[in-house]
Amino acid sequence: MKWTLIFYLLIAISLTGYSQKKEESELIKKLLEKESATWRARDSKGHSDCWYIQPYSRILISTPKGETFDVPPSAMINTKPEAMGNGGFAVNSNYKMSINAKTAWVSHDEESTAKDGKKTFSYEIRLLEKIKNKWKVVGQSIHIYKSE
């Protein structure tokens, strides 16, 4: 009887932990989709709300031509709309996450489609922290590649 109770208790704890991770991963996905959409919509306020700049924040971008850009993190907040994206949309897929209590890292693939239909493909890594109980992006690495 005692072992049965312990067994069911362990199952309940495991399911609760899994449920919490699943909920957190969905919150993170929504944040990353919002971050992509607000950039393309030139929604400076909405985009800024996705970010929390830390002293160690960093944004690195590499291009198919071998160029690398070290973008100042301040460019993600209080950006003038004309310096942001120009419409279109993005689809994120292939999410992989490591979620801890207050930190997470996420990798995903992104297919961006500009207003004129031109597509851009990238592998992205996002670093997140839970600030005042909300997930925020604190850093990212974008690797743009040519699709075969």
Side-chain angles (χ1 to χ4, degrees):
M1 178 75 171
K2 189 185 249 185
W3 290 109
T4 305
L5 180 60
I6 291 171
F7 175 74
Y8 285 118
L9 183 60
L10 288 174
I11 288 175
I13 291 170
S14 296
L15 290 175
T16 302
Y18 172 77
S19 174
Q20 288 173 335
K21 290 275 187 190
K22 186 162 177 59
E23 183 179 313
E24 294 296 330
S25 71
E26 291 304 316
L27 290 171
I28 288 170
K29 285 180 186 178
K30 285 182 183 178
L31 171 69
L32 298 181
E33 289 167 5
K34 176 184 175 185
E35 194 264 352
S36 293
T38 54
W39 180 263
R40 285 162 184 76
R42 296 184 169 189
D43 176 0
S44 181
K45 168 80 171 91
H47 194 262
S48 292
D49 288 344
C50 298
W51 282 83
Y52 190 88
I53 305 305
Q54 298 282 26
Y56 44 82
S57 291
R58 194 152 194 198
I59 302 165
L60 297 172
I61 301 172
S62 64
T63 72
K65 294 179 181 179
E67 301 167 310
T68 303
F69 299 96
D70 192 351
V71 178
S74 59
M76 296 299 112
I77 57 171
N78 302 319
T79 303
K80 293 182 179 178
E82 55 273 11
M84 298 176 79
N86 191 19
F89 62 94
V91 176
N92 296 341
S93 63
N94 195 26
Y95 283 101
K96 296 177 184 175
M97 300 185 191
S98 175
I99 303 170
N100 296 300
K102 300 255 184 219
T103 61
W105 72 262
V106 179
S107 69
H108 66 86
D109 302 344
E110 182 171 293
E111 180 180 322
S112 299
T113 306
K115 281 192 318 188
D116 64 3
K118 181 182 176 197
K119 293 187 182 282
T120 304
F121 302 90
S122 61
Y123 300 120
E124 305 198 8
I125 298 172
R126 310 291 185 106
L127 306 172
L128 298 101
E129 291 183 10
K130 210 168 209 185
I131 309 292
K132 297 181 183 175
N133 213 29
K134 290 188 179 183
W135 287 107
K136 301 287 184 176
V137 180
V138 297
Q140 71 179 5
S141 183
I142 301 172
H143 307 281
I144 303 168
Y145 66 93
K146 291 189 186 242
S147 177
E148 303 288 331

